[in-house]
Amino acid sequence: MRLFMQTPSKTVSEIAFQQCISPSCRATFGVDEVLTACTKCGGLLDVSYDWNAAAIPASISEFESKWSNRHDPLCYSGVWRFRELLPFAPPEKIVTVGEGQTLLQQTNSVGAFVGLDAGNLFLQYEGMNPSGSFKDNGMTAAFTHAHMIGASQAACASTGNTSASLAMYCAVSRLMKAVIFIGSGKIAYGKLSQALEYGALTVAINGDFDDAMLRVKEVCSKLGIYLVNSINPFRLEGQKTIMLRVLESLQWQVPDWIIVPGGNLGNSSSFGKAFMELKHLGLIDRVPRLAIINAAGANTLSQLYEESGVRWNDGEIDNAPVEKYYDAMQAAGRKASTIASAIEINRPVNFEKCLRALDVCDGVVREISDLEILDAKAQVGAGGIGCEPASAASVAGAKLLREQGIIAPSDRVVCILTGHQLKDPTATVAYHTTDQEEFNEVLGSRGVQRASYANRAVSVPNDLNEIVRAIQLYS
Ligand code: F0G
């Protein structure tokens, strides 16, 4: 049986190249160049392919055959078993730690909370990745590119998950040293503990993620360090495979909706690219709709897309409202603020690419409050999976879009749970705590007053009769 079209005898540098996403520029660069922006116009870059020279499967379902070859690390990886759709790396250079063994879980309890008919809500749990978030999908790709070009140090700014992932790849492979930039006091403890334990050089700067992002770019160009934030187009190639695994789990049936939290907008951009390519290659016949969910305290995309009506517009983006928005933000000294610290970002680096994804997938953007995020998170947890606060934005967003009648009860909806439940125990315990004072201290300052689904611990004296009485009373 022929599983894949014959690989033409082309090298990766003959198949893959980097290209400016701006249709009026389209400058191209070699796959071996280290760039985070087009050197001609400053635009964002894609990794592009000459698909005629690549070996693509005749049908998308052929990828499943790789499961029978799981002793091969490149078939075991949930990223690299789709490598024919991201053919930029010679196999011997690929660095994998078995990322992407993730689960698409159908859940009727969370589906009922969202307002969907039974059987229609699916949660793609990317918390199952080795470092506990979706970032490993992208990091294996960026790290592989860094290895291809011989980097010895790699850096990122992070709200915590990118840094945990980079630190892990460095620690496992010993190929590079990790330098991570975090905003001081802006990172959940689960994530900080990973970076410290994996031995990353951890630079806590006096500022937030947006400040750290600006600095890390300067530092990387000054010191020649390889940058692995999602502005790096190779990162997004790996993240495309989240969508491939979703389709695989749905037996290659395209769902009606993909819903994802929006921070730096790397995921949403990569999903749009995945669907553009699958459609172009004739591997799917339609694309799903995309909903990107901002936290209300970090709502740049929602404001610019939904309020100001900024659109991709075939690459001719109207920049005037964008500049006005950032000028006003600067003048007011406005900083991002949300309990969902992973998406506490006001200046998303992938903004333009994300507009393209919204265009391709007939997308919508919504913003939701911290309370809505935490209630949705509690419901995801009660459904037996659990996730960190930012991830629950997708479920809260699904509920909002259902209430607004944009999603129908009969639609098939996939929410991406981007990070593991244990990443941010502080937020979880604060939500469920019996101690109202502590709850107020952690969440009250953010306007969260009520925890609808709190599962409060019951305090009982250390006495058998009292314990028995309490169990009978509360069970
Ligand atoms: N969910 C989680 C758990 C994240 O860690 C992030 C981003 C996002 C959602 C947003 O994804 O940036 O692709 O829109 N975390 C980055 C970090 C910024 O540094 O770990 P995005």
Side-chain angles (χ1 to χ4, degrees):
M1 187 176 70
R2 180 177 62 83
L3 289 177
F4 284 86
M5 286 179 183
Q6 276 305 302
T7 313
S9 50
K10 297 266 186 186
T11 63
V12 289
S13 54
E14 289 169 310
I15 298 171
F17 53 98
Q18 301 183 67
Q19 185 165 40
C20 178
I21 69 164
S22 168
S24 59
C25 177
R26 301 306 272 167
T28 60
F29 307 91
V31 76
D32 291 339
E33 291 188 62
V34 179
L35 298 164
T36 48
C38 172
T39 54
K40 300 227 160 62
C41 76
L44 294 169
L45 296 171
D46 268 338
V47 181
S48 297
Y49 306 100
D50 175 359
W51 293 113
N52 293 324
I56 52 161
S59 155
I60 195 171
S61 61
E62 291 182 9
F63 284 108
E64 282 179 274
S65 65
K66 302 263 184 83
W67 283 108
S68 60
N69 199 15
R70 285 166 64 85
H71 62 271
D72 173 352
L74 298 192
C75 291
Y76 180 78
S77 165
V79 171
W80 297 107
R81 74 192 157 81
F82 296 102
R83 62 189 174 278
E84 286 78 5
L85 295 177
L86 48 148
F88 70 82
E92 68 279 7
K93 290 287 182 188
I94 291 175
V95 184
T96 173
V97 300
E99 56 288 314
Q101 303 303 317
T102 60
L103 178 76
L104 185 76
Q105 174 115 354
Q106 192 186 58
T107 159
N108 285 338
S109 67
V110 187
F113 168 74
V114 166
L116 290 170
D117 291 345
N120 279 353
L121 181 69
F122 299 83
L123 302 178
Q124 174 69 12
Y125 189 32
E126 290 297 315
M128 285 172 74
N129 271 293
S131 80
S133 86
F134 76 92
K135 300 287 179 180
D136 297 345
N137 293 283
M139 198 56 67
T140 184
F143 202 85
T144 291
H145 185 247
H147 181 43
M148 277 167 65
I149 58 97
S152 59
Q153 270 185 312
C156 65
S158 186
T159 55
N161 282 326
T162 306
S163 50
S165 184
L166 172 62
M168 180 190 69
Y169 277 88
C170 286
V172 172
S173 70
R174 304 269 146 192
L175 288 168
M176 276 163 249
K177 294 252 186 259
V179 183
I180 66 163
F181 285 66
I182 56 173
S184 63
K186 291 284 185 183
I187 180 170
Y189 262 26
K191 306 173 190 184
L192 180 59
S193 68
Q194 290 178 286
L196 298 175
E197 193 117 310
Y198 294 139
L201 170 56
T202 303
V203 183
I205 69 156
N206 187 8
D208 64 6
F209 174 84
D210 294 316
D211 301 317
M213 189 70 234
L214 283 171
R215 280 285 174 237
V216 76
K217 282 201 263 182
E218 286 173 355
V219 171
C220 283
S221 75
K222 200 174 168 70
L223 299 180
I225 301 176
Y226 188 94
L227 183 66
V228 298
N229 279 101
S230 58
I231 198 166
N232 176 329
F234 293 91
R235 263 275 306 271
L236 302 194
E237 290 307 287
Q239 287 169 220
K240 290 190 310 193
T241 65
I242 300 171
M243 288 303 102
L244 298 170
R245 295 197 300 274
V246 165
L247 291 179
E248 183 179 56
S249 301
L250 294 174
Q251 295 180 18
W252 311 106
Q253 300 294 308
V254 178
D256 296 303
W257 286 91
I258 299 289
I259 309 193
V260 63
N264 228 0
L265 306 179
N267 248 353
S268 43
S269 298
S270 73
F271 297 173
K273 186 168 188 279
F275 289 117
M276 260 162 62
E277 290 174 348
L278 290 171
K279 187 89 195 307
H280 170 76
L281 293 172
L283 294 172
I284 54 172
D285 53 13
R286 69 178 184 92
V287 298
R289 294 192 70 187
L290 178 67
I292 305 174
I293 313 300
N294 275 165
N299 58 355
T300 296
L301 180 69
S302 152
Q303 289 296 304
L304 289 176
Y305 187 79
E306 296 291 347
E307 299 301 319
S308 306
V310 178
R311 290 291 182 276
W312 170 243
N313 194 29
D314 291 328
E316 299 297 322
I317 299 167
D318 178 7
N319 271 320
V322 181
E323 278 161 24
K324 195 168 150 213
Y325 181 83
Y326 283 127
D327 286 348
M329 182 189 282
Q330 180 85 18
R334 192 150 39 88
K335 294 285 183 186
S337 173
T338 167
I339 189 76
S341 57
I343 51 173
E344 197 176 52
I345 296 171
N346 260 352
R347 293 177 179 270
V349 296
N350 286 299
F351 177 67
E352 292 85 0
K353 245 184 216 180
C354 173
L355 290 181
R356 183 180 65 178
L358 287 162
D359 185 64
V360 169
C361 298
D362 187 16
V364 297
V365 183
R366 290 292 180 274
E367 53 187 84
I368 40 151
S369 69
D370 281 2
L371 178 57
E372 288 169 306
I373 289 176
L374 290 173
D375 280 348
K377 177 174 131 51
Q379 287 290 298
V380 172
I385 295 185
C387 64
E388 66 167 285
S391 313
S394 60
V395 174
K399 182 172 161 58
L400 176 63
L401 288 163
R402 244 317 281 124
E403 284 160 6
Q404 293 176 339
I406 294 168
I407 293 180
S410 57
D411 284 349
R412 285 183 112 197
V413 176
V414 176
C415 291
I416 312 301
L417 298 184
T418 46
H420 199 280
Q421 202 266 355
L422 296 175
K423 287 279 190 174
D424 189 356
T426 315
T428 309
V429 173
Y431 181 87
H432 289 289
T433 189
T434 49
D435 181 345
Q436 195 62 37
E437 224 169 77
E438 188 192 336
F439 179 82
N440 287 342
E441 203 177 291
V442 181
L443 300 176
S445 63
R446 299 177 185 273
V448 177
Q449 280 128 26
R450 165 185 63 88
S452 304
Y453 306 104
N455 178 21
R456 303 201 186 288
V458 179
S459 296
V460 193
N462 186 8
D463 173 280
L464 182 59
N465 290 335
E466 295 275 3
I467 293 170
V468 169
R469 218 154 54 94
I471 290 171
Q472 285 166 343
L473 188 64
Y474 290 106
S475 56

